[in-house]
Amino acid sequence: MVSLSSSRMFQLLQGHLQPAAHRTLKSRLVTKDGRCNIEFGNIEYSNHFAYLLDFWTTFVEIRWRFVLLLFVASFAGSWFIFSLLWYWIAKSNGDLTGQNRTDGHVQCVDNVNGLTTAFLYSLETQTTIGYGGRALTGHCAGTVALIIVQSLIGVFINCFMCGVILAKISLPKKRAKTVTFSDTAVICLKKGSLCLLIRVANLRKTLLIGSQIYGKLLRTTTTADGETIILDQVDIDFTVDAGKDNLFFVCPLTLYHVINTSSPFYELSADSLPQQDFELVVFLDGMAESTSSACQVRTSYVPQEIKWGYSFLPIISRTKMGKYHVDFSNFSKSVRVTTPHCVHCFETDSDHRKHNNQEKGGIDNLGFQVIDIHDSVDVTKM
């Protein structure tokens, strides 16, 4: 009997624990640092040439290791290719060591006697070093044309590689690294409404101009026709006390979403929240004040990262010197507060309080008139 009850208990626990573990290991579409966890498959081979046509974006978006490899390969490769051309000119003219030279032989390039010296001359020409040991004599037209071509190609490589490196350093997503969201979201009462709260902070003193906050709720839904839609997107409106557009993002802000009848969180409760399967993606768009480049910051929250009945700790205070101090040690910390169990409970309790207030205050009778009675009138006189 004991073993049978124990096995049943184990099956019940296993049935409750397995879905939770599965949800915990569920892959995110957007990671906490804003990267999109998605891959493309079965792309036609011809479409890969589109990356070559848009080569500038391809070079800017590739990893730094490949940029450095391309940097070294482009310069070293161009030096070596042109060294072969200089070697061929020298060999054709009979300037190499060991070749039979006639009396009155005129060299095309001085001191280019082999492949090594040809490579050194190519390097010195393209980098404009010019040590003076090797130089054109001016007696061969081919050498004049070749030095012009190599100089132009060297300038093009310099400009392209410097542009790629500068573009990668100044990418807007690097500015987004200094904007951070709280690790968790909380649900509590705010200004008489049940709200979902998220905290965001700008770690730099330079502002993000024209900042906008919005969110997307990603979940798997089934239509009335039985069609399953993966990653169905629902708009989530976030706002702060000053509005939701053109934020004055000089200090950490607390974003909140009011959970009402139009909110997709309306049917949630403190018990059903951990069992949900969705992903809340929050976006912050703005323009960097220092570079005038637009950037976007993203993060996501799964149900296990949303705390029901908690509120964020205050982090802004004022010092004796009159400055505002931000304590980032409490940025993601929260404390338990009194919160309704669900939205329906909150609305029922609010309606009950309103009803009691109306009963205590009475009902106004519009037909009732107040008559002033003067003290000089004897009301007892028949």
Side-chain angles (χ1 to χ4, degrees):
M1 182 70 180
V2 176
S3 61
L4 180 61
S5 61
S6 300
S7 62
R8 289 180 178 177
M9 183 178 296
F10 176 75
Q11 291 176 357
L12 291 175
L13 289 175
Q14 188 178 15
H16 285 83
L17 291 178
Q18 281 183 351
H22 177 70
R23 286 189 297 271
T24 303
L25 299 177
K26 177 180 178 294
S27 299
R28 297 174 179 265
L29 177 65
V30 179
T31 60
K32 297 296 287 185
D33 57 355
R35 292 181 291 106
C36 294
N37 183 24
I38 191 170
E39 63 179 12
F40 300 100
N42 297 328
I43 300 177
E44 295 183 1
Y45 181 76
S46 59
N47 292 333
H48 291 288
F49 291 100
Y51 293 99
L52 297 179
L53 295 177
D54 188 17
F55 67 93
W56 175 254
T57 305
T58 302
F59 283 118
V60 171
E61 292 182 349
I62 60 177
R63 297 179 180 272
W64 272 107
R65 62 176 69 98
F66 299 112
V67 173
L68 297 178
L69 179 62
L70 177 65
F71 182 87
V72 174
S74 60
F75 282 103
S78 62
W79 296 338
F80 180 74
I81 291 174
F82 279 101
S83 68
L84 295 178
L85 296 177
W86 290 115
Y87 178 81
W88 174 73
I89 290 177
K91 184 177 181 180
S92 301
N93 194 49
D95 298 337
L96 300 180
T97 302
Q99 289 183 318
N100 296 324
R101 299 179 182 178
T102 61
D103 296 337
H105 175 76
V106 178
Q107 292 184 337
C108 291
V109 184
D110 288 335
N111 296 326
V112 175
N113 302 319
L115 184 59
T116 303
T117 54
F119 180 81
L120 291 175
Y121 180 70
S122 176
L123 188 152
E124 295 171 8
T125 300
Q126 192 166 327
T127 57
T128 65
I129 294 177
Y131 289 116
R134 282 166 288 274
L136 295 181
T137 60
H139 298 289
C140 301
T143 57
V144 177
L146 184 59
I147 197 172
I148 293 175
V149 173
Q150 184 175 4
S151 299
L152 293 177
I153 292 179
V155 171
F156 175 79
I157 295 176
N158 285 332
C159 294
F160 182 81
M161 295 307 305
C162 290
V164 170
I165 294 175
L166 181 61
K168 285 188 67 67
I169 293 176
S170 59
L171 280 177
K173 63 181 181 180
K174 301 301 181 182
R175 176 63 177 89
K177 297 295 183 181
T178 55
V179 178
T180 180
F181 287 90
S182 57
D183 296 332
T184 58
V186 297
I187 296 179
C188 63
L189 292 176
K190 180 178 177 63
K191 293 186 177 181
S193 300
L194 195 63
C195 300
L196 172 70
L197 276 64
I198 296 173
R199 182 171 278 174
V200 60
N202 181 14
L203 302 181
R204 289 188 180 274
K205 293 184 178 180
T206 55
L207 301 181
L208 287 177
I209 308 301
S211 300
Q212 297 181 351
I213 297 289
Y214 58 96
K216 297 288 184 180
L217 184 67
L218 308 178
R219 57 186 178 182
T220 301
T221 59
T222 304
T223 63
D225 300 333
E227 180 184 1
T228 301
I229 302 177
I230 300 177
L231 297 180
D232 184 25
Q233 300 185 16
V234 180
D235 291 333
I236 303 294
D237 294 329
F238 283 95
T239 184
V240 295
D241 295 334
K244 63 179 181 179
D245 297 329
N246 298 323
L247 304 177
F248 185 44
F249 200 12
V250 67
C251 61
L253 300 176
T254 300
L255 318 175
Y256 63 90
H257 165 72
V258 179
I259 303 178
N260 50 27
T261 55
S262 61
S263 172
F265 302 116
Y266 184 71
E267 300 296 334
L268 293 182
S269 65
D271 296 331
S272 63
L273 177 61
Q275 282 75 39
Q276 298 299 313
D277 185 10
F278 64 81
E279 182 176 352
L280 175 61
V281 184
V282 184
F283 303 86
L284 187 147
D285 296 341
M287 181 178 296
E289 185 181 28
S290 55
T291 60
S292 299
S293 58
C295 63
Q296 183 183 85
V297 191
R298 299 179 296 267
T299 192
S300 68
Y301 298 92
V302 294
Q304 291 75 22
E305 296 171 342
I306 301 178
K307 297 182 178 180
W308 191 293
Y310 285 80
S311 179
F312 288 117
L313 292 175
I315 59 175
I316 301 178
S317 60
R318 194 168 183 175
T319 63
K320 297 181 180 180
M321 303 299 295
K323 292 185 178 181
Y324 292 94
H325 177 71
V326 180
D327 184 10
F328 279 98
S329 62
N330 294 332
F331 180 72
S332 296
K333 293 182 179 179
S334 57
V335 61
R336 184 180 291 275
V337 294
T338 302
T339 307
H341 183 266
C342 62
V343 184
H344 298 285
C345 301
F346 172 70
E347 292 178 346
T348 303
D349 185 59
S350 299
D351 294 339
H352 182 69
R353 288 198 303 268
K354 291 180 180 178
H355 181 69
N356 291 338
N357 292 334
Q358 289 180 357
E359 289 183 351
K360 292 180 181 179
I363 301 176
D364 293 337
N365 185 359
L366 300 179
F368 180 78
Q369 296 180 358
V370 179
I371 302 176
D372 293 335
I373 300 178
H374 301 284
D375 296 338
S376 60
V377 180
D378 189 0
V379 296
T380 60
K381 183 177 179 181
M382 298 299 295

